[in-house]
């Protein structure tokens, strides 16, 4: 089955700096890659997602890149703010015979210090 | 549009008991997935329901079961609770377009503590 590895497990950045989180996946049939942000006491919130027919997607300060050949994808947060502090999860799934199943990475605790 | 709602938000049970958790998806969403989140194992897929049918199942024992109703609301049940079942149980809903499951939106979760 699919296996998703996520690095680093913790990331401390100064406010205004950039943060990068990387994930690799094992199943070459995976074609959907969402990123979720989870704050304490809340459920995961989708922040951006990308499908395998796209190499890069950007939404304001957040961007995701996908390298299908290397089977890895990354989350980039620019101009970080204290409210970006949270746990971030990458995930992967495929449409065929894997309905509704997201395989998650282990998560990255991001701490943005003022 | 209201988000995914889960009830109850917190539960305390003792070993051997059973528990039922409820999830109401976003209006119009017909797919509901359930996940277990623990510090040690992270987020793990339990099962997914669409049109009252379980389409996919994760690697959990038969003590974990679920169902979906005609209005797409879903419940999951855990029987004979064990200490290791203590976790945050999350449900997520999504549209299904042309057979493809769209983005999953998560509820706040139910925190289950087994004593």
């Amino acid at each position: 089955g699919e296996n998703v590895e996520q690095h680093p497990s913790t990331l401390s950045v100064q406010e205004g700096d950039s943060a990068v989180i990387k994930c690799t996946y094992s199943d070459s049939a995976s074609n959907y890659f969402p990123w979720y942000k989870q704050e304490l006491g809340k459920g995961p919130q989708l922040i951006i997602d990308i499908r395998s027919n796209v190499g890069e997607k950007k939404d304001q300060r957040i961007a995701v890149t996908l390298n299908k050949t290397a089977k890895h994808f990354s989350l980039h947060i620019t101009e970080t703010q204290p409210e970006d502090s949270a746990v971030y999860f990458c995930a992967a799934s495929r449409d065929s015979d894997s309905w509704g199943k997201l395989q998650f990475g282990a998560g990255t605790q991001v701490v943005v210090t003022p | 549009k209201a988000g995914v709602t889960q009830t109850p938000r917190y539960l305390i049970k003792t070993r051997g008991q059973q528990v039922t958790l409820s999830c109401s998806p976003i209006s119009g969403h017909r797919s509901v997935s359930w996940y277990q989140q623990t510090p040690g194992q992270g987020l793990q897929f339990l099962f997914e329901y669409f049109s009252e049918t379980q389409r996919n199942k994760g690697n959990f024992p038969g003590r974990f079961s679920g169902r979906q109703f005609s209005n797409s609301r879903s419940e999951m049940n855990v029987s004979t609770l064990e200490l290791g079942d203590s976790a945050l149980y999350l449900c997520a809903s999504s549209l299904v377009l042309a057979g493809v499951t769209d983005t999953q939106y998560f509820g706040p979760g139910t925190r289950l503590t087994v004593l």
Side-chain angles (χ1 to χ4, degrees):
Chain A
E2 174 68 281
N3 183 49
V4 177
E5 294 191 359
Q6 182 172 347
H7 299 280
S9 57
T10 59
L11 181 59
S12 293
V13 295
Q14 291 281 343
E15 182 178 359
D17 288 349
S18 295
V20 180
I21 304 170
K22 298 182 179 182
C23 289
T24 60
Y25 60 98
S26 60
D27 186 354
S28 56
S30 290
N31 58 358
Y32 176 63
F33 307 92
W35 286 88
Y36 287 88
K37 173 184 179 183
Q38 188 174 27
E39 297 173 320
L40 205 59
K42 297 184 178 180
Q45 177 189 7
L46 179 80
I47 54 171
I48 196 166
D49 56 5
I50 193 168
R51 293 195 178 271
S52 58
N53 58 347
V54 176
E56 185 174 357
K57 184 176 178 181
K58 189 174 181 181
D59 183 5
Q60 298 183 349
R61 298 186 295 110
I62 293 173
V64 57
T65 58
L66 171 65
N67 183 327
K68 287 189 295 182
T69 304
K71 289 191 282 187
H72 67 70
F73 55 113
S74 301
L75 178 71
H76 305 254
I77 306 174
T78 58
E79 300 172 20
T80 54
Q81 301 167 3
E83 51 265 39
D84 294 329
S85 296
V87 179
Y88 290 79
F89 292 94
C90 63
S93 74
R94 61 183 192 186
D95 293 328
S96 60
D97 73 27
S98 191
W99 303 282
K101 178 180 180 179
L102 289 172
Q103 185 71 41
F104 283 89
T108 297
Q109 175 77 60
V110 173
V111 177
V112 180
T113 51
Chain B
K1 199 179 252 190
V4 177
T5 57
Q6 292 186 245
T7 57
R9 291 293 312 278
Y10 303 91
L11 265 178
I12 299 176
K13 293 285 186 179
T14 55
R15 280 180 297 175
Q17 287 187 309
Q18 75 165 22
V19 66
T20 299
L21 313 181
S22 181
C23 171
S24 292
I26 293 171
S27 178
H29 286 194
R30 294 168 60 198
S31 169
V32 174
S33 296
W34 287 90
Y35 294 84
Q36 182 195 64
Q37 185 175 27
T38 60
Q41 298 298 317
L43 280 150
Q44 292 186 288
F45 174 77
L46 281 156
F47 29 64
E48 186 260 5
Y49 286 87
F50 173 71
S51 290
E52 303 178 64
T53 301
Q54 185 185 89
R55 295 194 300 179
N56 204 357
K57 189 176 187 304
N59 297 323
F60 279 82
R63 300 185 297 107
F64 291 82
S65 62
R67 59 177 176 169
Q68 186 180 36
F69 302 95
S70 58
N71 62 357
S72 295
R73 189 177 69 85
S74 177
E75 289 181 347
M76 68 162 282
N77 184 76
V78 188
S79 62
T80 319
L81 284 166
E82 301 177 358
L83 295 178
D85 297 333
S86 294
L88 181 67
Y89 289 88
L90 293 157
C91 95
S93 76
S94 59
L95 285 169
V96 177
L97 302 170
V100 174
T101 302
D102 200 30
T103 304
Q104 291 190 23
Y105 296 92
F106 283 82
T110 293
R111 172 73 62 185
L112 172 65
T113 302
V114 182
L115 303 176

